[in-house]
Amino acid sequence: MEEVAEGKDFNFPKEEEKILQLWDELDAFKEQLRRTEGNKPFVFYDGPPFATGLPHYGHLLAGSIKDIVTRYASQTGRHVSRRFGWDCHGLPVEFEIDKKLGIKQRSDVLALGIDKYNEECRSIVMKYSAEWQKTVHRLGRWIDFENDYKTLDVTYMESVWWVFGQLWDKGLVYKGFKVMPYSTKCSTTLSNFEAGENYKNVNDPFVTVAFKLDEDADHASLLAWTTTPWTLPSNLGLCVHPDMTYVKVKDPASGAVYIVLEARMDQIPGAIPKEGKAAKKKKKESEPEAAPFEILSKFPGKDLEGKTYEPLFPYFASMKAEGAFRVTNDRYVKEDGGTGVVHNAPAFGEDDMRVCLATGIIKRGGVLPCPVDADGCFTEEVVDFAGKHVKDADKLIIARLKTQGAIINSGTLEHSYPFCPRSDTPLIYKAVPSWFVKVTAIKDRLLANNAQTSWVPAYVKEKRFHNWLADANDWAISRSRFWGTPLPIWASEDGEEVVVISSKAQLEELTGCKVDDLHRHFIDHLEIPSRQGKGTLKRDDSVFDCWFESGSMPYGQNHYPFENKDFVESNFPADFVAEGLDQTRGWFYTLMVLSTALFDKPAFKNLVCNGLILAADGKKMSKRLKNYPDPVGVINSYGADALRLYLINSPVVRAETLRFEEAGVKAIVKDVFLPWYNAYRFLVQNVHRWQSATGKTFSATAQATDSHQANVMDRWIAASTRLLVSYVREQMDAYKLYNVVPRLVLFVERLTNIYVRYNRKRLKGSGGEQDALAALTTLYATLLTLCKVMAPFTPFLTEHMYQNLRRVADEDDGYTSVHFCDVPESTEPSEDDRHIQESVERMQAVIEIGRIIRERNIKPLKVPLRKVVVVHEDRAFLDDIAGELRVYVQEELNVEKLETCSEPLQYSTMRAVPDFKKIAARLGKTLGKKMAAVTSAIKALDAHEIAEYEQKDSITILGTEFRRDDEEITVLRAFNEELKKQDLDGSGNGKLLVVLDLHTDEALSQGGVAREFVNRVQKLRKTAGLVASNPVSIFFQVAAGSSDEAVLQAAVSSHEDYVRGVLGCVPLSTTAMPDDAKLIAQERNLLKSGELSCNLEVILTQPCGSAANGLTMPSG
């Protein structure tokens, strides 16, 4: 293996760029595909983004999830084709061209020419594709850009036509008028989920308008309230609730009579006198009070049904003879807003349309007043406001009604209102002719197919998506736009003869014209001769909603069914898809609708849904506000691996929100990658040391993975590795990435802080050649397995390590990249594995508790202590601690002796604590009022009774038996404070107790001096840049005439084995240093240990004589 840089000198981003070069040299992605060719396919659908914008953190998150899952699938024996896709049609592209060309309205496009407009759109669809490819490549994501799919490709568009043709043949398509969210800026309808993307709080005008009833004895007017005055010229009806109580009231000042919902009388100014400051002031000044409105009568809303009223405007007054301008009943009227009287303009409200159709105010196929053009301006039908945009006309309409005396109240209201997500202009709701898919006809099948899928997290499927499907309406799939896949519908002028085209060949056959492109400007002029004598059939000028196109992606990317028919049908549904939470109403929905309509199957088996990434302040990331760091800058600072792991190890993978913080990415490098890298570096250094010391070549051997290794820590890390592999496979097979990363991070922490830390001396050769070889091969095997397991998550760092690790493999196996290696197979954990895991975990608890006791008593670890006593009732554990694990506990706690004790009362007090919930659950009804007495008796158990309970595994209290297996009684142990008088102190975690003997003497003090001396030497070695394979001679001296020199000499001599074991030799006095010794480094500083305090000088030289045995590695 090659030497490696120190962690502080290892530049993760720069090294990642070297790995990218390596992958290019290996042609790694294609090579992986070649190696897995013929394996069972793993089918993955990549949702197509628009290339008219740059990738953001949301894209990088989804891309990381997709890359991890597909890499894992490939490394577990599947063949995973990965094609990038581009969404090329629709409003995002048109909106950019509108801005570029100054397009203001639909007529501007027609004047320019659809051909020129569409070619302008085509020219920018891949505007940022190079930036996308560069960023995705830098992220480490392996995906095919050369063989990508685009929704503008003729092959893709032809498959979309086939999909539509299938729906038509199944009777799932119809044309109708429907009130839809409508962007007047973009001159097109939007889907409901698009309309829900951009709500804003705005101030809109509101008016309360009087509609005069015909033939009313009191000349009453119904009062209706609205925040859309521009819809009033199209009013055809008024609606009230049939069962709610309405009142007819008279204004004593004007004599006017009004009808409103009783609960909403306060909406009439002055109807209900208000007791406020102004009223009190009037009383004080003896001004006459306004008389309250007189209630003439009360009645249910059904009594108003059928009454007629005078139209506010003359534009559609002729429809009164056909049943318009009439009061209707419907239960959608609410009493929590307005006046309880709703004005209906059926062309501009979904409920308005429904009510007016149900009550005969308008008829299907009849006249529907809709005096608003494609750009949101009034037509000549509304002559007084013709040419005015509806929102601009609000003030003019209000002014006109005021002159008529029809405005009872007016003002402005702040409320939440939908805006176009592209143009950022207010939407309106408008009835438009559209082609629909009958989603309601297949709703039961949608729910059944959704039940067959597996989502992570599951609640998104079971709640959010299920509810969306359950409430789904028919889907308006046509848009009155230009740049998109044209609807393949040719119809006669009367609409009675319709031909739906399902392929390019069919169009060529029926028109007699060669067709090379399916966009509007290539086919709009084509006509099909009528078979019914109706002249020629012309194409409906609509294009598909781009969501229909993206939902057709499983078929379009494969040009199905014209090509790849067998492959698609034998590998459908897909194994996996992943996108953001917002796609529950977008791509996930359209995939499910179309697959259900076509094949009565879900489109996918498994889905991972991620949440939204916000700025650190909790706000939406905004380029304008600059409230987030540039993604490319973050990658260049910390590396793609760090960003990937930060995102995957966060709540966002559980469909929750993440407040992105750059410090979190930095922490991944510091807390995960550097310790992991340092463990790898430690291996490499000590392999070189071992080779230098033995003259042999290190090679990986089978013993590294043998569960019967002699050393307990080798067996423990091998068992831990096997358990990690099993866990990762289990969780990844369930697509639960959020469970995998914390476990991987924990493993790295245990590897570095337990295995490497506790075995530093063994790895350096303190136990001899064979023991060092065993430790090195164990660490090698662990790191190699960890690289293979972590490769999908951190592809760069694992590749960097693997390339060096494979140099010492037994033979060249041809796996030139870690990403060509399989993730190791799972193995069922043995009883030995479980036992060693538990024992080491308990040992670690002993060490951590011992450190706490030292800190509490101000006894630094460098100060040796006489002994530690481990108290536990489990003899098997105590045997492990006193046997194989003894050396690790003694070294980590720096104690001379370790003793065990299975008699807790020797060092501790015990008390029993009842678990009230568990006892109540089992015995609540039986014990009744005795519950308090029983729990009190449990608390009162003495130490001997508790010991007997633990020995016999049960105890009877007040006639009730309690068994240990039920865990209804917890036994807590605490250190016996009386023992502190003997210089003992202890602490525990309930079952385990650790006791330290804090008494010190001269021999212990000398041990502390020796340890501190060794520490100074090691620090100097590190400062000098020496590595394990650099032999040196070590000399030292203290200030001349100091009596501390003898103390130091005595400490080094009395602990010669320890000093030699760490430094590789016993340092000599400077008096023994040859005159020609070649200096490497020297340092003079203060050495303090206990009562010793002296000026120490340490000198390192090139090897000279018998002092040249130092083959040590700097600590830390």
Side-chain angles (χ1 to χ4, degrees), residues 473-490:
N473 296 315
D474 290 349
W475 176 16
I477 59 169
S478 60
R479 298 290 182 265
S480 183
R481 293 304 300 172
F482 309 98
W483 180 241
T485 299
L487 261 68
I489 299 174
W490 271 256

PDB file of all heavy atoms in Angstrom, residues 473-490:
ATOM      1  N   ASN A 473     -60.634  14.150  -8.735  1.00  0.00           N
ATOM      2  CA  ASN A 473     -61.614  14.518  -9.757  1.00  0.00           C
ATOM      3  C   ASN A 473     -61.076  14.119 -11.122  1.00  0.00           C
ATOM      4  O   ASN A 473     -59.925  13.708 -11.270  1.00  0.00           O
ATOM      5  CB  ASN A 473     -61.878  16.026  -9.723  1.00  0.00           C
ATOM      6  CG  ASN A 473     -62.518  16.470  -8.414  1.00  0.00           C
ATOM      7  OD1 ASN A 473     -63.442  15.825  -7.928  1.00  0.00           O
ATOM      8  ND2 ASN A 473     -62.008  17.541  -7.833  1.00  0.00           N
ATOM      9  N   ASP A 474     -61.916  14.250 -12.133  1.00  0.00           N
ATOM     10  CA  ASP A 474     -61.452  13.988 -13.489  1.00  0.00           C
ATOM     11  C   ASP A 474     -60.327  14.964 -13.830  1.00  0.00           C
ATOM     12  O   ASP A 474     -60.294  16.101 -13.366  1.00  0.00           O
ATOM     13  CB  ASP A 474     -62.606  14.126 -14.483  1.00  0.00           C
ATOM     14  CG  ASP A 474     -63.624  12.998 -14.338  1.00  0.00           C
ATOM     15  OD1 ASP A 474     -63.307  12.022 -13.628  1.00  0.00           O
ATOM     16  OD2 ASP A 474     -64.721  13.095 -14.911  1.00  0.00           O
ATOM     17  N   TRP A 475     -59.407  14.489 -14.645  1.00  0.00           N
ATOM     18  CA  TRP A 475     -58.141  15.200 -14.898  1.00  0.00           C
ATOM     19  C   TRP A 475     -58.221  15.914 -16.249  1.00  0.00           C
ATOM     20  O   TRP A 475     -58.353  15.286 -17.287  1.00  0.00           O
ATOM     21  CB  TRP A 475     -57.020  14.172 -14.877  1.00  0.00           C
ATOM     22  CG  TRP A 475     -55.641  14.650 -15.204  1.00  0.00           C
ATOM     23  CD1 TRP A 475     -55.189  15.925 -15.240  1.00  0.00           C
ATOM     24  CD2 TRP A 475     -54.529  13.810 -15.543  1.00  0.00           C
ATOM     25  NE1 TRP A 475     -53.865  15.956 -15.572  1.00  0.00           N
ATOM     26  CE2 TRP A 475     -53.423  14.674 -15.759  1.00  0.00           C
ATOM     27  CE3 TRP A 475     -54.350  12.441 -15.666  1.00  0.00           C
ATOM     28  CZ2 TRP A 475     -52.173  14.189 -16.115  1.00  0.00           C
ATOM     29  CZ3 TRP A 475     -53.101  11.956 -16.007  1.00  0.00           C
ATOM     30  CH2 TRP A 475     -52.028  12.823 -16.230  1.00  0.00           C
ATOM     31  N   ALA A 476     -58.126  17.248 -16.202  1.00  0.00           N
ATOM     32  CA  ALA A 476     -58.089  18.045 -17.437  1.00  0.00           C
ATOM     33  C   ALA A 476     -56.682  17.968 -18.011  1.00  0.00           C
ATOM     34  O   ALA A 476     -55.731  18.493 -17.438  1.00  0.00           O
ATOM     35  CB  ALA A 476     -58.464  19.492 -17.147  1.00  0.00           C
ATOM     36  N   ILE A 477     -56.536  17.295 -19.154  1.00  0.00           N
ATOM     37  CA  ILE A 477     -55.201  17.009 -19.688  1.00  0.00           C
ATOM     38  C   ILE A 477     -54.819  17.888 -20.871  1.00  0.00           C
ATOM     39  O   ILE A 477     -53.692  17.775 -21.376  1.00  0.00           O
ATOM     40  CB  ILE A 477     -55.092  15.531 -20.108  1.00  0.00           C
ATOM     41  CG1 ILE A 477     -56.149  15.211 -21.176  1.00  0.00           C
ATOM     42  CG2 ILE A 477     -55.227  14.621 -18.910  1.00  0.00           C
ATOM     43  CD1 ILE A 477     -55.944  13.862 -21.824  1.00  0.00           C
ATOM     44  N   SER A 478     -55.711  18.751 -21.332  1.00  0.00           N
ATOM     45  CA  SER A 478     -55.388  19.590 -22.486  1.00  0.00           C
ATOM     46  C   SER A 478     -55.081  21.013 -22.052  1.00  0.00           C
ATOM     47  O   SER A 478     -55.582  21.498 -21.032  1.00  0.00           O
ATOM     48  CB  SER A 478     -56.543  19.584 -23.492  1.00  0.00           C
ATOM     49  OG  SER A 478     -57.731  20.088 -22.898  1.00  0.00           O
ATOM     50  N   ARG A 479     -54.219  21.659 -22.805  1.00  0.00           N
ATOM     51  CA  ARG A 479     -53.849  23.048 -22.556  1.00  0.00           C
ATOM     52  C   ARG A 479     -53.901  23.811 -23.882  1.00  0.00           C
ATOM     53  O   ARG A 479     -53.456  23.312 -24.913  1.00  0.00           O
ATOM     54  CB  ARG A 479     -52.423  23.142 -21.975  1.00  0.00           C
ATOM     55  CG  ARG A 479     -52.253  22.442 -20.636  1.00  0.00           C
ATOM     56  CD  ARG A 479     -52.980  23.187 -19.527  1.00  0.00           C
ATOM     57  NE  ARG A 479     -52.789  22.545 -18.230  1.00  0.00           N
ATOM     58  CZ  ARG A 479     -53.617  21.671 -17.690  1.00  0.00           C
ATOM     59  NH1 ARG A 479     -54.702  21.292 -18.371  1.00  0.00           N
ATOM     60  NH2 ARG A 479     -53.392  21.160 -16.501  1.00  0.00           N
ATOM     61  N   SER A 480     -54.403  25.026 -23.813  1.00  0.00           N
ATOM     62  CA  SER A 480     -54.510  25.849 -25.014  1.00  0.00           C
ATOM     63  C   SER A 480     -53.204  26.605 -25.214  1.00  0.00           C
ATOM     64  O   SER A 480     -53.139  27.828 -25.106  1.00  0.00           O
ATOM     65  CB  SER A 480     -55.687  26.817 -24.885  1.00  0.00           C
ATOM     66  OG  SER A 480     -55.852  27.573 -26.068  1.00  0.00           O
ATOM     67  N   ARG A 481     -52.141  25.834 -25.496  1.00  0.00           N
ATOM     68  CA  ARG A 481     -50.816  26.434 -25.635  1.00  0.00           C
ATOM     69  C   ARG A 481     -50.167  25.959 -26.936  1.00  0.00           C
ATOM     70  O   ARG A 481     -50.846  25.424 -27.824  1.00  0.00           O
ATOM     71  CB  ARG A 481     -49.941  26.053 -24.426  1.00  0.00           C
ATOM     72  CG  ARG A 481     -50.384  26.650 -23.107  1.00  0.00           C
ATOM     73  CD  ARG A 481     -50.489  28.159 -23.143  1.00  0.00           C
ATOM     74  NE  ARG A 481     -49.218  28.811 -23.459  1.00  0.00           N
ATOM     75  CZ  ARG A 481     -49.099  30.109 -23.687  1.00  0.00           C
ATOM     76  NH1 ARG A 481     -50.153  30.890 -23.642  1.00  0.00           N
ATOM     77  NH2 ARG A 481     -47.921  30.622 -23.965  1.00  0.00           N
ATOM     78  N   PHE A 482     -48.871  26.128 -27.055  1.00  0.00           N
ATOM     79  CA  PHE A 482     -48.194  25.913 -28.328  1.00  0.00           C
ATOM     80  C   PHE A 482     -47.064  24.898 -28.250  1.00  0.00           C
ATOM     81  O   PHE A 482     -46.947  24.034 -29.114  1.00  0.00           O
ATOM     82  CB  PHE A 482     -47.637  27.256 -28.838  1.00  0.00           C
ATOM     83  CG  PHE A 482     -48.660  28.352 -28.857  1.00  0.00           C
ATOM     84  CD1 PHE A 482     -48.740  29.280 -27.824  1.00  0.00           C
ATOM     85  CD2 PHE A 482     -49.576  28.439 -29.896  1.00  0.00           C
ATOM     86  CE1 PHE A 482     -49.698  30.278 -27.844  1.00  0.00           C
ATOM     87  CE2 PHE A 482     -50.533  29.441 -29.923  1.00  0.00           C
ATOM     88  CZ  PHE A 482     -50.602  30.356 -28.880  1.00  0.00           C
ATOM     89  N   TRP A 483     -46.218  25.015 -27.218  1.00  0.00           N
ATOM     90  CA  TRP A 483     -45.025  24.165 -27.132  1.00  0.00           C
ATOM     91  C   TRP A 483     -45.324  22.970 -26.243  1.00  0.00           C
ATOM     92  O   TRP A 483     -45.240  23.028 -25.029  1.00  0.00           O
ATOM     93  CB  TRP A 483     -43.846  24.965 -26.582  1.00  0.00           C
ATOM     94  CG  TRP A 483     -42.574  24.172 -26.460  1.00  0.00           C
ATOM     95  CD1 TRP A 483     -41.892  23.918 -25.313  1.00  0.00           C
ATOM     96  CD2 TRP A 483     -41.842  23.535 -27.495  1.00  0.00           C
ATOM     97  NE1 TRP A 483     -40.777  23.149 -25.565  1.00  0.00           N
ATOM     98  CE2 TRP A 483     -40.715  22.896 -26.913  1.00  0.00           C
ATOM     99  CE3 TRP A 483     -42.023  23.410 -28.878  1.00  0.00           C
ATOM    100  CZ2 TRP A 483     -39.789  22.183 -27.642  1.00  0.00           C
ATOM    101  CZ3 TRP A 483     -41.096  22.681 -29.610  1.00  0.00           C
ATOM    102  CH2 TRP A 483     -39.989  22.088 -29.002  1.00  0.00           C
ATOM    103  N   GLY A 484     -45.700  21.888 -26.877  1.00  0.00           N
ATOM    104  CA  GLY A 484     -46.034  20.670 -26.155  1.00  0.00           C
ATOM    105  C   GLY A 484     -46.391  19.587 -27.150  1.00  0.00           C
ATOM    106  O   GLY A 484     -46.377  19.795 -28.374  1.00  0.00           O
ATOM    107  N   THR A 485     -46.695  18.405 -26.627  1.00  0.00           N
ATOM    108  CA  THR A 485     -47.152  17.321 -27.500  1.00  0.00           C
ATOM    109  C   THR A 485     -48.600  17.595 -27.882  1.00  0.00           C
ATOM    110  O   THR A 485     -49.468  17.676 -27.010  1.00  0.00           O
ATOM    111  CB  THR A 485     -47.052  15.964 -26.794  1.00  0.00           C
ATOM    112  OG1 THR A 485     -45.694  15.702 -26.452  1.00  0.00           O
ATOM    113  CG2 THR A 485     -47.564  14.848 -27.687  1.00  0.00           C
ATOM    114  N   PRO A 486     -48.891  17.757 -29.174  1.00  0.00           N
ATOM    115  CA  PRO A 486     -50.268  18.071 -29.575  1.00  0.00           C
ATOM    116  C   PRO A 486     -51.210  16.909 -29.273  1.00  0.00           C
ATOM    117  O   PRO A 486     -50.822  15.738 -29.351  1.00  0.00           O
ATOM    118  CB  PRO A 486     -50.157  18.292 -31.085  1.00  0.00           C
ATOM    119  CG  PRO A 486     -48.701  18.547 -31.342  1.00  0.00           C
ATOM    120  CD  PRO A 486     -47.965  17.742 -30.312  1.00  0.00           C
ATOM    121  N   LEU A 487     -52.453  17.244 -28.897  1.00  0.00           N
ATOM    122  CA  LEU A 487     -53.449  16.187 -28.761  1.00  0.00           C
ATOM    123  C   LEU A 487     -53.704  15.588 -30.140  1.00  0.00           C
ATOM    124  O   LEU A 487     -53.951  16.330 -31.107  1.00  0.00           O
ATOM    125  CB  LEU A 487     -54.764  16.743 -28.195  1.00  0.00           C
ATOM    126  CG  LEU A 487     -54.972  16.542 -26.690  1.00  0.00           C
ATOM    127  CD1 LEU A 487     -53.972  17.394 -25.923  1.00  0.00           C
ATOM    128  CD2 LEU A 487     -56.391  16.905 -26.288  1.00  0.00           C
ATOM    129  N   PRO A 488     -53.688  14.259 -30.253  1.00  0.00           N
ATOM    130  CA  PRO A 488     -53.843  13.612 -31.571  1.00  0.00           C
ATOM    131  C   PRO A 488     -55.317  13.423 -31.929  1.00  0.00           C
ATOM    132  O   PRO A 488     -55.754  12.307 -32.247  1.00  0.00           O
ATOM    133  CB  PRO A 488     -53.124  12.287 -31.378  1.00  0.00           C
ATOM    134  CG  PRO A 488     -53.358  11.946 -29.940  1.00  0.00           C
ATOM    135  CD  PRO A 488     -53.379  13.263 -29.205  1.00  0.00           C
ATOM    136  N   ILE A 489     -56.097  14.507 -31.847  1.00  0.00           N
ATOM    137  CA  ILE A 489     -57.541  14.433 -32.089  1.00  0.00           C
ATOM    138  C   ILE A 489     -57.866  15.252 -33.335  1.00  0.00           C
ATOM    139  O   ILE A 489     -57.583  16.455 -33.397  1.00  0.00           O
ATOM    140  CB  ILE A 489     -58.338  14.988 -30.893  1.00  0.00           C
ATOM    141  CG1 ILE A 489     -58.036  14.173 -29.630  1.00  0.00           C
ATOM    142  CG2 ILE A 489     -59.831  14.993 -31.193  1.00  0.00           C
ATOM    143  CD1 ILE A 489     -58.661  14.746 -28.382  1.00  0.00           C
ATOM    144  N   TRP A 490     -58.432  14.585 -34.325  1.00  0.00           N
ATOM    145  CA  TRP A 490     -58.924  15.255 -35.530  1.00  0.00           C
ATOM    146  C   TRP A 490     -60.450  15.117 -35.535  1.00  0.00           C
ATOM    147  O   TRP A 490     -60.981  14.025 -35.304  1.00  0.00           O
ATOM    148  CB  TRP A 490     -58.340  14.622 -36.775  1.00  0.00           C
ATOM    149  CG  TRP A 490     -57.018  15.236 -37.191  1.00  0.00           C
ATOM    150  CD1 TRP A 490     -56.828  16.107 -38.219  1.00  0.00           C
ATOM    151  CD2 TRP A 490     -55.730  15.008 -36.623  1.00  0.00           C
ATOM    152  NE1 TRP A 490     -55.495  16.460 -38.312  1.00  0.00           N
ATOM    153  CE2 TRP A 490     -54.792  15.794 -37.339  1.00  0.00           C
ATOM    154  CE3 TRP A 490     -55.266  14.242 -35.555  1.00  0.00           C
ATOM    155  CZ2 TRP A 490     -53.439  15.828 -37.044  1.00  0.00           C
ATOM    156  CZ3 TRP A 490     -53.918  14.275 -35.255  1.00  0.00           C
ATOM    157  CH2 TRP A 490     -53.008  15.058 -35.977  1.00  0.00           C
TER     158      TRP A 490
END
